[in-house]
Amino acid sequence: MVTTQLVPDIMRYDALCFPASRHSFLQRWLQPPHRALAAITPRGAAGYAVARSCRSGFMIGPLFADDTRTALDLLEDLAGACEGGDLHIDVPASKVDFVAALEAAGFSPTFTTTRMYKGAPPRLDANRISGVTTLELG
């Protein structure tokens, strides 16, 4: 569970993965009724994930993590917090290892999208992005 004390670490981590400040947004997004978890190391946040109710089960996003193992651990912990409901996640196609692990765990693709930019893409650490916040918010 994300406590108030962890929010500054999560905001710093989010800044690695999203090209604009989301301070106000995250203040609300990390709170109930959403379920938010963080991977914390002695050096600070190594990732975080949020689940929220959707039409059928729960939507995971964002899922930002230093590596695939941390992303899978966060997803597993969120699945437990979601009490067995269906899980949905929008995963960048570049996350081949993560997609393979999800498929091995029983996830299956339902649709695809393509992210496109006119001009230079924003500066962010795409390697940490295992699940976007929402397709509407990135």
Side-chain angles (χ1 to χ4, degrees), residues 95-109:
K95 298 296 286 189
V96 176
D97 291 344
F98 188 64
V99 169
L102 291 177
E103 288 175 341
F107 283 77
S108 59

Side-chain angles (χ1 to χ4, degrees), residues 32-45:
H34 296 168
R35 293 160 173 89
L37 299 175
I40 303 298
T41 70
R43 295 182 321 272

Side-chain angles (χ1 to χ4, degrees), residues 32-129:
H34 296 168
R35 293 160 173 89
L37 299 175
I40 303 298
T41 70
R43 295 182 321 272
Y48 81 98
V50 179
R52 67 188 185 287
S53 295
C54 63
R55 279 187 228 152
S56 170
F58 296 87
M59 185 70 191
I60 306 296
L63 175 50
F64 297 160
D66 284 356
D67 52 55
T68 299
R69 180 74 259 151
T70 303
L72 289 169
D73 289 346
L74 283 166
L75 183 60
E76 182 179 337
D77 291 346
L78 270 182
C82 292
E83 302 166 354
D86 291 338
L87 300 177
H88 311 276
I89 184 169
D90 296 322
V91 180
S94 62
K95 298 296 286 189
V96 176
D97 291 344
F98 188 64
V99 169
L102 291 177
E103 288 175 341
F107 283 77
S108 59
T110 56
F111 69 93
T112 60
T113 63
T114 301
R115 181 164 293 214
M116 300 171 68
Y117 300 98
K118 183 175 181 180
R123 297 180 114 169
L124 46 85
D125 189 346
N127 291 327
R128 288 185 162 106
I129 303 171

